[in-house]
Amino acid sequence: MTIKIAVLVDNNTLIDSYFCGEPGVSYYIEADGRKILFDTGYSNIFIDNAHTLNIDLSQITDLALSHGHNDHTWGLNHLIQHYDRRNCCFQKKIDLIYHPDALLPKRFGSKVIGANIPKDVLDAYFDSKQTVKPYSLTENIIFLGQIPRNNHFEGKEPIGSTVDANNQTIDDYVWDDSALVIKTSAGIIIVTGCSHAGICNIIEYAKQVTNTNKVVTVIGGFHLQNASDEILNQTGEYFSQLDVDHIHPCHCTDLAAKIHLSKFSSIKEVGVGLVLNYPL
């Protein structure tokens, strides 16, 4: 059995690979008999890119949201329109897995940056699985839920604002930020969205949840855009001690961060249309 990870949305495209990119994330994953969509990007381009890759999004079994920001969730409206236009009739609703805070209002100043789809519309197509704890899609695929922020250099700064249980506006530390981990015979594969919780915190929690130290790869945003020297140095020190084959930093990871991390790990390129295959 194999694991397939296809990049449907990323900031970058690959040379001679004619897909559309945007600042966002969407991955299609086949593993353990499941067909999983991880995030939906900002627009409808993940649907067009999936079509070019001969991926039928009406066949997905699960949709996991890394967190509630618009570059990861605004494609949801387009996915539902895609189903509606095709008159898709599901014998079983698609499981929608996310942290309970992911669909709360989110703003950056006056700009709305949170999910923009009514819950009753979601409920018509999806069976919501809200969780702060790790949630097993299968024996080998786990949504990590809320990531503990145990180190001193990651996940410490808010990103805009959100609302609390009392409908009060508060700083948003993006506690809904999560990731997927896939257990394989060679180690674990970690798929991230933006890593607002901190890429090192995420990897450590994935290792703890799976009781596995060996990491095959990590693919996704590492939240290293215009990162300080302190954060880059601490992150590099962490990766220098990590048992990892290679990494695929992308989305919110800028060139300076990739160059820095390349001193400590084998960096692989990412772009829309990339398809990775690993043995399960």
Side-chain angles (χ1 to χ4, degrees):
M1 296 180 65
T2 61
I3 298 163
K4 173 182 176 180
I5 302 174
V7 179
L8 303 184
V9 174
D10 185 57
N11 299 38
N12 296 317
T13 59
L14 301 176
I15 190 168
D16 293 334
S17 184
Y18 298 101
F19 293 85
C20 291
E22 67 183 10
V25 164
S26 182
Y27 301 120
Y28 172 79
I29 302 165
E30 287 185 8
D32 249 7
R34 305 299 273 261
K35 298 180 178 180
I36 304 161
L37 187 63
F38 183 74
D39 287 347
T40 61
Y42 180 83
S43 71
N44 67 336
I45 68 166
F46 74 104
I47 298 172
D48 294 337
N49 290 332
H51 179 73
T52 304
L53 288 168
N54 294 315
I55 294 170
D56 184 356
L57 294 179
S58 71
Q59 298 300 309
I60 65 171
T61 55
D62 308 87
L63 169 56
L65 300 178
S66 66
H67 64 298
H69 282 158
N70 53 1
D71 50 340
H72 301 258
T73 63
W74 277 17
L76 264 170
N77 280 311
H78 298 284
L79 182 63
I80 289 174
Q81 290 172 344
H82 176 69
Y83 291 154
D84 186 63
R85 287 194 298 271
R86 295 186 58 180
N87 291 315
C88 291
C89 182
F90 302 107
Q91 293 182 344
K92 178 183 179 297
K93 289 182 181 180
I94 299 164
D95 283 349
L96 176 63
I97 306 108
Y98 58 96
H99 186 285
D101 292 354
L103 301 184
L104 292 178
K106 293 176 180 288
R107 287 181 174 270
F108 193 85
S110 61
K111 182 178 174 62
V112 173
I113 61 169
N116 65 347
I117 189 164
K119 190 174 185 305
D120 63 321
V121 176
L122 281 178
D123 289 343
Y125 291 87
F126 302 102
D127 185 7
S128 292
K129 309 289 186 183
Q130 301 183 54
T131 180
V132 297
K133 296 181 179 180
Y135 176 86
S136 295
L137 285 72
T138 71
E139 181 181 354
N140 294 309
I141 307 170
I142 303 166
F143 178 78
L144 290 176
Q146 187 164 313
I147 309 294
R149 303 185 184 190
N150 292 327
N151 65 47
H152 69 278
F153 60 94
E154 293 181 311
K156 304 301 182 183
E157 298 295 329
I159 307 293
S161 62
T162 185
V163 297
D164 63 15
N166 298 316
N167 204 33
Q168 299 295 310
T169 299
I170 59 172
D171 287 340
D172 188 7
Y173 288 88
V174 200
W175 295 107
D176 46 305
D177 182 77
S178 193
L180 282 179
V181 59
I182 306 169
K183 295 187 288 185
T184 80
S185 56
I188 57 176
I189 295 171
I190 302 166
V191 185
T192 71
C194 255
S195 299
H196 291 287
I199 187 60
C200 306
N201 284 325
I202 290 172
I203 295 170
E204 280 304 295
Y205 194 51
K207 288 162 57 180
Q208 175 186 329
V209 168
T210 59
N211 195 30
T212 304
N213 284 321
K214 175 63 180 178
V215 180
V216 176
T217 194
V218 186
I219 180 170
F222 282 21
H223 195 52
L224 294 173
Q225 182 80 18
N226 299 318
S228 68
D229 289 343
E230 178 189 2
I231 290 175
L232 288 177
N233 289 334
Q234 294 281 359
T235 305
E237 176 64 23
Y238 174 83
F239 274 92
S240 72
Q241 301 177 44
L242 184 67
D243 186 7
V244 61
D245 289 350
H246 48 260
I247 56 177
H248 293 82
C250 53
H251 179 45
C252 53
T253 313
D254 64 21
L255 179 60
K258 292 177 184 177
I259 291 172
H260 185 83
L261 290 177
S262 69
K263 303 172 186 176
F264 308 97
S265 291
S266 173
I267 299 262
K268 300 295 184 180
E269 193 168 13
V270 181
V272 182
L274 176 70
V275 178
L276 303 172
N277 291 282
Y278 295 95
L280 187 61

